[in-house]
Amino acid sequence: MATTNGTLPFEKPLIELREKIEELEKFTEEKSIDLSDEIKNLEERARRLEREIYGNLTTWQKVQIARHTSRPTTADYIKHIFTDFMELHGDRLYGDDPAIIGGIAKLDGRPVTVIGHERGKDTKDKIARNFGLPHPEGYRKALRLMQQADKFRRPIICFVDTQGAHPGVEAEERGQSEAIARNLREMAGFRVPIVCVVTGEGGSGGALAISVGNRLLMLEHAYYSVISPEGAAAILWRDAAKAQEAAEALKISAQDLETLGVVDQVIPEPKGGAHKDPQFQAERIKDAITNTLKPLLMMDGEQLVQDRHQKFSQIGVYHTVD
């Protein structure tokens, strides 16, 4: 977990070294004492330490970055990547779920439909958005917008960032599992390009419900998993404290999933994570989406459906029984 100032545990040595450099610079300015050699040595040491820390991140450390409280959300990326965004609300059945946002926008002048999990920024916003854990009406809203996109031939862009679907009784009473299952089935058959981007946490069916696409992109420090590391540890070892071991065993990092053929492209992040430079990260994502869309836009509806089917049929190893 991040500290109150947003520093992750494994970043503390680097932060302390940078604070020491700032102290020496301040001391130099106030006392007019030349400490340039000492400062230069510490700066070189900080650069080496930065490369060492961020160049050898464990899966668990990447999970911590994916959960960082300052990590950009879907709303941030929509603001930086698209223009003329018009948010649409409601599932026309029960109500509106602010844990999923979506609407119509333009990507370099091309109309698209944008949908994504939204976990909120400050405490009040997070509570209002249920910390990005959607209810069934959120997934039905997403489906309504995707059906509209399919009707009007607009590409669909999905941003995935959730620990999972809301697990409460009220969500089950309103048909949580059915809503997720319906999204999986319907997304498989849409005749427009679907590009999905995992920007933070990609947890369980709550993430999969808006990530059945022709292409799945992932940020460098995001994760995508059938279960959280803590949940897996509690099941396998009856001890959630073994989450670090579970994270490694699950193969949930972007790099692991690219190797396994689940993810089509890993999008680099600034050193330390997307929250270090949200504007730069948004530009990287926009480039990746634009380049991914180009060949998909050349396909007709039937080809897009077949392409999507082929993508998912090639994931994993299985045997058919006559």
Side-chain angles (χ1 to χ4, degrees), residues 75-88 102-114 148 154 286:
D76 295 319
Y77 291 129
I78 289 176
K79 179 176 65 176
H80 290 304
I81 296 172
F82 305 93
T83 58
D84 302 318
F85 176 64
M86 180 174 66
E87 185 174 358
L88 302 175
I104 304 168
K106 287 183 178 179
L107 177 63
D108 290 334
R110 177 183 294 275
V112 296
T113 289
V114 185
Q148 182 192 76
R154 289 193 298 267
K286 182 179 179 180

Side-chain angles (χ1 to χ4, degrees), residues 138-202:
Y139 294 117
R140 292 183 178 122
K141 173 171 68 173
L143 179 59
R144 179 172 77 84
L145 299 184
M146 288 187 280
Q147 289 170 333
Q148 182 192 76
D150 191 54
K151 177 179 179 180
F152 292 103
R153 311 298 299 164
R154 289 193 298 267
I156 299 169
I157 313 296
C158 294
F159 291 96
V160 179
D161 185 14
T162 183
Q163 295 179 20
H166 182 65
V169 173
E170 67 275 21
E172 293 299 331
E173 289 176 340
R174 297 201 294 272
Q176 184 73 288
S177 58
E178 186 275 340
I180 292 173
R182 184 181 293 272
N183 278 28
L184 304 185
R185 185 188 69 182
E186 296 297 320
M187 288 185 77
F190 287 138
R191 299 169 66 85
V192 295
I194 305 176
V195 177
C196 307
V197 187
V198 183
T199 59
E201 297 185 83

Side-chain angles (χ1 to χ4, degrees), residues 85-126:
F85 176 64
M86 180 174 66
E87 185 174 358
L88 302 175
H89 299 272
D91 67 345
R92 294 185 178 175
L93 180 66
Y94 178 83
D96 185 54
D97 185 356
I100 284 187
I101 61 174
I104 304 168
K106 287 183 178 179
L107 177 63
D108 290 334
R110 177 183 294 275
V112 296
T113 289
V114 185
I115 299 164
H117 299 98
E118 178 56 41
R119 51 187 170 83
K121 305 297 286 186
D122 56 28
T123 301
K124 182 178 180 180
D125 192 26
K126 288 178 184 291

Side-chain angles (χ1 to χ4, degrees), residues 35-100:
L35 297 173
S36 57
D37 288 341
E38 288 85 349
I39 292 172
K40 183 178 179 181
N41 290 335
L42 288 177
E43 287 176 339
E44 177 57 34
R45 183 178 164 191
R47 284 192 289 270
R48 289 199 304 270
L49 184 58
E50 183 181 59
R51 288 193 297 269
E52 180 182 338
I53 290 174
Y54 296 124
N56 299 281
L57 291 170
T58 66
T59 301
W60 179 245
Q61 289 170 337
K62 291 177 182 179
V63 170
Q64 291 178 291
I65 293 176
R67 293 173 173 173
H68 198 284
T69 54
S70 298
R71 195 168 177 86
T73 67
T74 295
D76 295 319
Y77 291 129
I78 289 176
K79 179 176 65 176
H80 290 304
I81 296 172
F82 305 93
T83 58
D84 302 318
F85 176 64
M86 180 174 66
E87 185 174 358
L88 302 175
H89 299 272
D91 67 345
R92 294 185 178 175
L93 180 66
Y94 178 83
D96 185 54
D97 185 356
I100 284 187

